[in-house]
Each structure stands twice: as C-alpha cells, then as structure tokens.
Amino acid sequence: MLRVAVARHRFGRPAAVAVALYLTVAAVAAGYDGGRWFLVVAAAGSWPWDDGAWFLPAAIVVLNAWALWQILRGPAVPRTGTPPRDVVWLRRLLYTDVAGELLLWELLEDVSDVAEYTARWAVWAVTVVLLVRVLTGVSAWFRIIALGLGLTGFLAAALRPFAEVPLPVSTLLMVPATLGCKVVIIAGQRRDGRFGAVTVAIGWTALLVPQVYSLLRSGGVPFDGLSLAVHALDGLLVVWTARTAHELATTGPGVAEPGT
C-alpha cells in the first residue's frame, strides 16, 4: 500500500523520505534526555506539559507526519489533459501560500513587517479572485458573495495600517469577511467534482475548530491540553490549501469551464 501511495503521486518519493526523516527525528527526541525535546518536535514550540503525558504529543507527531505527506506528495499521476491558464496560476498561488505559511512569511517578517503583511494579503486577494472564478457547479450569486466577502476582508486589511483606531475598525470587517469568504469557498468545493470529500472535511475542521476554541477560551477556562491540540490543528489549513492545489491538477470530461 505504501508503494502504491508513493507511486501514484508526482512527488511521492521525496515526500515519503521527508516523512521518514521527521519520524526519525521524533523517535530520537523521544529517547533523548528523558523525552524533553519530544514535545518541541511535536508542537514546534515550548509548552507547559506534563512529562508523563505521552499520548497527545505522540498523536500530534502522527498528525504532523500525515500533514507533511499531504503537503509534499503533489498531485496524483497520471494527469489527464492540460488545466486552463487560470487554474495553473491559481495552483502556483496556492503553493506560494503553503510555502509562506510554512516558512516564507516568517523569513519575510524578519526583513520587514510591512513586506510580510503586504505579501500575505496580496497573495490571498488574487487567490480568492481565481478560486471564485475556477469553481464549477456554483451560481453567479455564489461567486458574487464569495468575491464580495473576500475583497471586503482584503480592503479592511489594506486600510488597517492607516486607520487611527485599527482594532475596532479593521478587525470587525477583516476577520468575519475573510472567514465568511473561506466558508463560502469550501461550500463551493463540495459542488466541484475535482475536490474530494476529505479535502472539504479538512477545510471545515480547519475553520471551525479555532472558532469553537475561541468561544471556549472566552469563558476563561484553562485548557492546556486543548491549547496544544488546537495549535496542532492549525496546520490543517495549510493541508487544505495544498490538497486544493493538488486536486486542481485533475481535469476531465466532467469538469466545466471556469465562470466569468
């Protein structure tokens, strides 16, 4: 089964090597210095956690390995036909966003906060326009709502550095509009034959879990284990982005042309 999974994806072998290296590092960390570095490898940070509790960090390591495979494996092969130009550019932007979330945005932030902020939101704005355009099986009103929410969030983000009172003005527009746009896009993916049910489920989980967690935290109840789990699940949004780009490479007779 592993050989089949590796062979049926474009970058299956490099992805499998990366996953094996990560699991090796995690295993070494678990056995070194009483396993104190295991949580650092699992959660990519320092967390106040009981040294005797191994189940949650081990589950996070498995989740990270699975996410790494989903991100790096690339699209399935063989590919049928040539995707439209909009789809090609959309996939490039999605992969840019994946690289940004994993490393690029942090490196850019070290150079300039303004450059990181501008690049992140510029990539998101163009990605939304192309995503709304290439989705199939949705109505014109569906596209208008998604595009309107996406551009509202982008404009609020663009005005945020110039607002005299940035928190109430921009946040009240930027966060709900951006979240609403993602909700509409994921709902639209369900109607597009190129995207699998797993991709849609990952998208819903990546959106809903942090919102539920925020509501729980607003009550002032401490959840150390839950905080660690939600932090790990943050990576699902990157997995959703990568899988969306992978599956956009699939073309066939049942896929309609992009909308206007």
Side-chain angles (χ1 to χ4, degrees), residues 10 21 33 61 94 107 119 151 155 162-164 174 230 237:
R10 186 176 181 183
L21 288 175
D33 195 18
V61 166
L94 289 170
L107 295 178
L151 293 182
L155 290 175
F162 307 101
E164 295 181 0
M174 182 178 65
V230 172
L237 191 59

Side-chain angles (χ1 to χ4, degrees), residues 80-256:
T80 57
T82 303
R85 183 182 302 177
D86 288 348
V87 173
V88 173
W89 279 104
L90 174 57
R91 293 184 67 234
R92 291 172 180 172
L93 285 169
L94 289 170
Y95 287 134
T96 300
D97 188 51
V98 170
E101 294 296 335
L102 293 178
L103 181 63
L104 188 59
W105 301 147
E106 284 193 26
L107 295 178
L108 200 56
E109 188 178 13
D110 292 337
V111 177
S112 170
D113 291 342
V114 175
E116 182 270 336
Y117 187 82
T118 304
R120 180 192 294 268
W121 279 97
V123 169
W124 165 246
V126 182
T127 300
V128 167
V129 173
L130 289 179
L131 257 174
V132 171
R133 174 171 166 75
V134 306
L135 281 176
T136 60
V138 297
S139 65
W141 277 110
F142 189 97
R143 301 179 195 276
I144 292 171
I145 293 172
L147 190 60
L149 289 171
L151 293 182
T152 299
F154 171 73
L155 290 175
L159 294 175
R160 185 175 187 179
F162 307 101
E164 295 181 0
V165 189
L167 184 60
V169 174
S170 63
T171 304
L172 289 177
L173 286 176
M174 182 178 65
V175 175
T178 304
L179 181 64
C181 177
K182 292 179 180 179
V183 166
V184 175
I185 287 174
I186 295 173
Q189 282 185 308
R190 229 173 118 262
R191 307 180 185 181
D192 194 315
R194 292 167 292 186
F195 303 106
V198 175
T199 300
V200 176
I202 291 172
W204 286 127
T205 304
L207 283 185
L208 297 180
V209 168
Q211 305 308 314
V212 174
Y213 174 72
S214 297
L215 293 175
L216 292 175
R217 291 292 294 179
S218 64
V221 181
F223 290 104
D224 289 340
L226 186 57
S227 299
L228 188 62
V230 172
H231 176 73
L233 291 175
D234 282 345
L236 287 181
L237 191 59
V238 184
V239 174
W240 172 78
T241 304
R243 285 183 63 102
T244 298
H246 298 338
E247 293 174 357
L248 278 169
T250 304
T251 59
V255 178

Side-chain angles (χ1 to χ4, degrees), residues 19 22-23 26 38 41-43 55-71 202 205 209 228-237 239:
V19 171
Y22 173 75
L23 291 176
F38 183 64
V41 174
F55 176 75
L56 185 56
I60 293 174
V61 166
V62 174
L63 176 65
N64 290 342
W66 173 81
L68 196 62
W69 164 255
Q70 295 295 320
I71 292 169
I202 291 172
T205 304
V209 168
L228 188 62
V230 172
H231 176 73
L233 291 175
D234 282 345
L236 287 181
L237 191 59
V239 174

